[in-house]
Amino acid sequence: MTTEGLLDHVRLTRVLSDTPLAEVHDRAIRGALTRGSGELPWLEFERARYPEEALVLARDLFCKLAGGEYSAVALFAQITASLALNRAPIDFVAASARVSSDEIRHADYCLQMAALCQGSEVTVEVPRAALETDIPHSLSSAELDFLMLKYAAVGETLAAALLTECRRCASDRLLRALFTSIVADEVHHARLGWYYAKYRAERWSPEERFALSERVSEFVVGIEHEFSRGRDAPAHASDAARALGVLDSSTQRQVISDVMNSEIVPALDAIGLSGSLAWAQRRRVDAA
Ligand SMILES: [Fe+2]
Ligand SMILES: [Fe+2]
């Protein structure tokens, strides 16, 4: 995997080194070194079974996911360093360190899947800002708490819910295996976020809790809008798009609404961060 700089973006393509580490990476990708997901049936994918419109949407989905997963590598590297430098309990540091290695594997899966959908290698442009880290300058514990809540607790819970729905829709054997493998990891990432939040919540002063609650509310009010647009296929390709795990807008909105109401908002309330209040004040999307 290499990145080549542009001004505001990093171009991501799937390139391996010619050192023995490429083989170690390959074993990790094949499932030999990871949580019981086993090898993915890459060779079973038959591009010709799907109409071009569905393949284009699936390619777009996996390019977008690849960029997000790749950015998460850098984000969790920063979170891990900050946990260590803020002397967090060692199990949190260890769990966070594992997240980065999961995310680079997810990025690789998504690049490979995007290439299969396109029929050739893909290049993904990742916003540079999403990749920049400043590890020598440790995050303050308040900043660390915010990042953990936004990206690990809420972000990974949203990701797990969306990818679980992708898996439920997908009938293609490779896609089902791929989503199953990624979701299994995202659930652990979300758990890290919520356990960390619970641990910290018992230690926040009223002022710290209030400041964090304000910052969390700022992004919670925008979640409905942020995820309101899925990938809507033309009618003749919509079954094929679902078979590839592509979510249309109305399905995606329903997933977000369900997971916010049943999991995220109650969890934020439980640690005193006024999730209900923020969600009630969200920017709403009119039903299409
Ligand atoms: Fe991931
Ligand atoms: Fe994740």
Side-chain angles (χ1 to χ4, degrees):
M1 196 123 24
T2 62
T3 55
E4 185 182 300
L6 288 178
L7 278 179
D8 298 330
H9 288 79
V10 170
R11 302 184 75 209
L12 169 62
T13 51
R14 186 172 193 271
V15 178
L16 297 175
S17 75
D18 58 0
T19 72
L21 290 184
E23 199 202 324
V24 175
H25 175 73
D26 216 41
R27 280 169 50 214
I29 290 298
R30 289 201 313 268
L33 305 177
T34 53
R35 290 185 186 100
S37 49
E39 194 161 353
L40 299 180
W42 294 106
L43 299 177
E44 288 188 20
F45 187 72
E46 291 178 57
R47 192 175 182 282
R49 287 179 52 200
Y50 300 100
E52 198 59 33
E53 293 93 332
L55 290 165
V56 165
L57 290 177
R59 174 205 172 278
D60 182 64
L61 167 65
F62 285 103
C63 284
K64 181 90 192 306
L65 284 173
E69 303 285 1
Y70 201 73
S71 305
V73 177
L75 174 71
F76 277 94
Q78 186 175 24
I79 288 175
T80 303
S82 299
L83 284 166
L85 293 168
N86 279 292
R87 292 175 294 129
I90 203 163
D91 50 311
F92 288 142
V93 187
S96 181
R98 284 195 296 274
V99 175
S100 284
S101 81
D102 290 337
E103 304 297 17
I104 193 63
R105 186 161 40 79
H106 298 171
D108 195 336
Y109 287 161
C110 292
L111 284 174
Q112 291 189 61
M113 196 63 237
L116 284 176
C117 291
Q118 180 172 290
S120 60
E121 291 302 319
V122 295
T123 299
V124 176
E125 295 195 348
V126 185
R128 181 173 291 281
L131 292 171
E132 283 175 348
T133 62
D134 194 15
I135 293 167
H137 301 100
S138 144
L139 297 176
S140 67
S141 62
E143 197 63 29
L144 175 58
D145 290 351
F146 176 69
L147 286 189
M148 280 290 241
L149 273 162
K150 181 171 182 182
Y151 295 105
V154 176
E156 296 282 356
T157 303
L158 291 170
L162 287 166
L163 291 164
T164 297
E165 184 64 17
C166 293
R167 184 196 174 280
R168 206 181 63 76
C169 292
S171 54
D172 186 283
R173 220 174 85 81
L174 171 59
L175 272 302
R176 284 183 72 86
L178 181 74
F179 288 123
T180 300
S181 170
I182 295 179
V183 168
D185 294 327
E186 309 301 12
V187 168
H188 285 271
H189 304 170
R191 283 165 47 117
L192 164 63
W194 291 115
Y195 285 137
Y196 175 82
K198 178 176 181 297
Y199 171 85
R200 289 287 300 150
E202 289 158 5
R203 290 160 176 80
W204 289 325
S205 67
E207 294 76 24
E208 286 171 326
R209 187 184 307 270
F210 178 77
L212 200 50
S213 190
E214 295 280 288
R215 292 185 73 187
V216 167
S217 296
E218 279 172 30
F219 73 80
V220 166
V221 297
I223 286 174
E224 183 169 302
H225 250 273
E226 185 182 345
F227 291 94
S228 63
R229 287 192 60 187
R231 291 176 174 79
D232 298 306
H236 70 275
S238 63
D239 286 351
R242 277 179 69 82
L244 293 168
V246 173
L247 303 183
D248 61 28
S249 295
S250 79
T251 306
Q252 188 161 302
R253 288 175 194 180
Q254 191 58 52
V255 171
I256 295 297
S257 166
D258 289 347
V259 72
M260 287 304 295
N261 288 313
S262 68
E263 294 182 39
I264 293 174
V265 168
L268 291 173
D269 287 346
I271 52 172
L273 293 183
S274 59
S276 297
L277 200 62
W279 190 236
Q281 293 172 346
R282 68 190 178 275
R283 289 193 292 124
R284 291 174 190 264
V285 176
D286 296 332

Coordinates of all heavy atoms in Angstrom, one line a residue, residues 68-69 72 99 102-104 106-107 156 159 163 182 185-186 189, ligand 1:
G68 N -12.0 5.7 4.6 CA -12.4 5.9 6.0 C -11.6 4.9 6.8 O -11.1 5.3 7.9
E69 N -11.4 3.7 6.4 CA -10.6 2.7 7.1 C -9.2 3.2 7.2 O -8.5 3.1 8.3 CB -10.7 1.4 6.5 CG -12.1 0.8 6.3 CD -12.7 0.3 7.6 OE1 -12.1 0.4 8.6 OE2 -13.9 -0.2 7.5
A72 N -8.7 5.9 9.6 CA -8.9 5.4 11.0 C -7.6 4.8 11.5 O -7.3 4.8 12.7 CB -10.0 4.3 11.1
V99 N -6.8 -1.7 17.2 CA -7.8 -1.1 16.2 C -7.0 -0.7 15.0 O -7.5 -1.0 13.9 CB -8.5 0.1 16.8 CG1 -9.4 0.7 15.8 CG2 -9.4 -0.3 18.0
D102 N -6.5 -3.6 12.8 CA -7.7 -4.1 12.1 C -8.1 -3.1 11.0 O -8.5 -3.6 9.9 CB -8.9 -4.0 13.1 CG -8.9 -5.1 14.2 OD1 -8.2 -6.1 14.0 OD2 -9.5 -4.8 15.2
E103 N -7.9 -1.8 11.2 CA -8.4 -0.9 10.2 C -7.5 -0.9 8.9 O -8.1 -0.8 7.8 CB -8.3 0.6 10.7 CG -9.1 0.8 12.0 CD -10.6 0.6 11.9 OE1 -11.1 -0.1 10.9 OE2 -11.4 1.1 12.8
I104 N -6.2 -1.2 9.0 CA -5.4 -1.3 7.8 C -5.8 -2.6 7.0 O -5.9 -2.6 5.8 CB -3.9 -1.3 8.1 CG1 -3.1 -1.1 6.8 CG2 -3.4 -2.5 8.7 CD1 -3.4 0.3 6.1
H106 N -8.9 -3.8 7.1 CA -10.2 -3.4 6.4 C -9.9 -2.6 5.2 O -10.6 -2.7 4.2 CB -11.1 -2.6 7.4 CG -11.5 -3.3 8.6 ND1 -12.1 -2.7 9.7 CD2 -11.3 -4.6 9.0 CE1 -12.3 -3.6 10.6 NE2 -11.8 -4.8 10.2
A107 N -9.0 -1.6 5.3 CA -8.7 -0.8 4.1 C -8.2 -1.6 2.9 O -8.7 -1.4 1.8 CB -7.6 0.3 4.5
E156 N -17.9 4.1 15.7 CA -17.8 2.6 15.4 C -19.1 2.0 15.6 O -19.4 1.0 15.0 CB -16.7 2.0 16.3 CG -15.3 2.5 16.1 CD -14.6 1.9 14.9 OE1 -15.2 1.0 14.2 OE2 -13.5 2.3 14.5
A159 N -20.9 2.6 12.4 CA -20.3 1.8 11.4 C -20.7 0.4 11.5 O -21.1 -0.3 10.5 CB -18.7 1.9 11.4
L163 N -22.8 -1.5 8.6 CA -22.2 -2.7 7.9 C -22.9 -4.0 8.2 O -22.9 -4.9 7.4 CB -20.7 -2.8 8.4 CG -19.8 -1.7 7.8 CD1 -18.5 -1.6 8.6 CD2 -19.5 -1.9 6.3
I182 N -15.5 -7.6 8.7 CA -15.3 -6.2 9.2 C -16.2 -5.9 10.4 O -15.7 -5.4 11.4 CB -15.5 -5.3 8.0 CG1 -14.5 -5.5 6.9 CG2 -15.5 -3.8 8.5 CD1 -14.7 -4.6 5.7
D185 N -14.9 -6.9 13.8 CA -13.9 -6.0 14.4 C -14.5 -4.7 14.9 O -14.2 -4.2 15.9 CB -12.8 -5.7 13.3 CG -12.0 -6.9 12.9 OD1 -11.8 -7.8 13.8 OD2 -11.6 -6.9 11.8
E186 N -15.4 -4.2 14.1 CA -16.0 -2.9 14.4 C -16.7 -2.9 15.8 O -16.8 -2.0 16.5 CB -16.9 -2.3 13.4 CG -16.4 -2.3 11.9 CD -15.1 -1.4 11.7 OE1 -14.5 -1.0 12.7 OE2 -14.8 -1.2 10.5
H189 N -14.3 -2.4 18.3 CA -13.8 -1.0 18.4 C -14.8 -0.1 19.1 O -14.5 0.7 19.9 CB -13.6 -0.5 17.0 CG -12.7 -1.3 16.1 ND1 -12.5 -1.1 14.8 CD2 -11.9 -2.3 16.5 CE1 -11.6 -1.9 14.3 NE2 -11.2 -2.7 15.3
Ligands
FE1 FE -12.8 -0.6 10.1

